[in-house]
Amino acid sequence: MSVPDRYILEVTMLGPSGAGKTSLLASMYVQYSSVIGATDLDLTPVGDTAVRLTDVVATLKSLSRSVQVRDAVANTAALDLHRYEIAVGRKDKNPRFVLRFTDYAGGLLRDLNGNPVAQGVRTALAESPVIILAVDTPALVEGDGRYHEHINAPYLMYEQVKQILRSDDRPRLLLVVPLKCEKYVATEHGATQLLDRVRTGYKPLFDHIAHASVQSRVGCVVVPVQTTGSIVFSSISDPADGQLRFHYRSRRPGAEYRPVHTDRPLRYALRFALNVYRRERRGFWRETFDGMFGHDEALQRAIAQFTEGTVNGPGIEVVQPHPHLSAPTVERA
């Protein structure tokens, strides 16, 4: 499947090593097919995307069945940069654009030597209309947040976002996604408390995007995601070697892998990406073609169906609205 570069929309992960970026991508992939339903929307993995993410899902399912979770999805290797592509269009029609998710080892954000892989991450971030900031929730919450700066590096994330926004004036969507949050969102009260923690833990970042010179071009949504639904935080140990270890357990022996709300970031990303595609990427000739053959209205309708209800739910908050977050307004067929 060949799509011109101008129709490839970057969605780049931002976050520390071990936060769960790859697990989020895999869980998003496995859940979207079950929530598309009867809509006229088609999301098609490109190349080896399906194989690689399916392998990660198999690991997550195995972990869910364990009582004590001793293994994990392997961190992305320090020198690796992985791209996963999902073509977006209508059922039985040629795709209109591609969402390209870029995943990488979080340690590359600390790289000051400018190696080619680190430069590839910076380029992907600079080109991304949608950025997903992964948050290690136990590190944010446990010990009254004492591990947050060490693990989540919120000031480094703040500096990265500042650099991205300084590069140009294009519209951006920042999705702040607390992961490994199964323990904390079990009740509506817990989800609200988590949201408060996110606001506090990333206050400099939120203050920056709310500044008058930035606010109009950046949308921001907090969306907690349970990438397994069955593995919960258990405890933290600090062995003699000084390496903090976060321990997890399955809710019960043989628990099923049941991701929760992993479709939500995809819904927001699609809504924003569609508006970027329509208003900035198509160009005159494709816009004319789409209008003549009804592709534009039909795709808007399909994505509008898929993204209905994305602004509601415990712990979910549109921190900063943006016109591109508005659902497409089309006449119902």
Side-chain angles (χ1 to χ4, degrees), residues 17-76:
S17 293
K21 297 187 295 294
T22 305
S23 296
L24 171 61
L25 286 175
S27 294
M28 284 169 57
Y29 161 71
V30 78
Q31 197 174 27
Y32 79 72
S33 59
S34 65
V35 296
I36 287 177
T39 67
D40 190 28
L41 184 64
D42 195 19
L43 303 179
T44 306
V46 178
D48 63 352
T49 291
V51 173
R52 288 190 288 155
L53 292 182
T54 298
D55 288 344
V56 175
V57 170
T59 300
L60 292 173
K61 288 183 176 180
S62 176
L63 293 176
S64 296
R65 292 190 292 268
S66 304
V67 177
Q68 294 295 323
V69 178
R70 302 182 184 280
D71 300 308
V73 174
N75 289 342
T76 303

Side-chain angles (χ1 to χ4, degrees), residues 1-5 7-8 46-47 85 87 94-98 286:
M1 182 184 300
S2 178
V3 176
D5 286 348
Y7 303 134
I8 296 176
V46 178
E85 296 187 346
N94 290 329
R96 307 312 294 164
F97 60 90
V98 168
R286 182 174 268 203

Side-chain angles (χ1 to χ4, degrees), residues 129-131 171-176 209 215-223 264-276 278-280 303-304 307-311 316-329:
V130 180
I131 297 165
R172 311 274 186 175
L173 172 61
L174 177 64
L175 293 172
V176 181
I209 65 173
Q215 187 177 46
S216 64
R217 52 194 170 96
V218 181
C220 180
V221 186
V222 177
V223 191
R264 295 296 176 88
L266 182 60
R267 292 177 192 260
Y268 280 109
L270 266 175
R271 180 183 289 183
F272 199 88
L274 174 65
N275 283 314
V276 169
R278 292 180 59 241
R279 300 177 190 182
E280 301 170 32
I303 292 182
T307 59
E308 283 177 354
T310 52
V311 295
I316 297 174
E317 180 179 60
V318 178
V319 174
Q320 191 157 289
H322 187 280
H324 283 9
L325 279 173
S326 300
T329 54

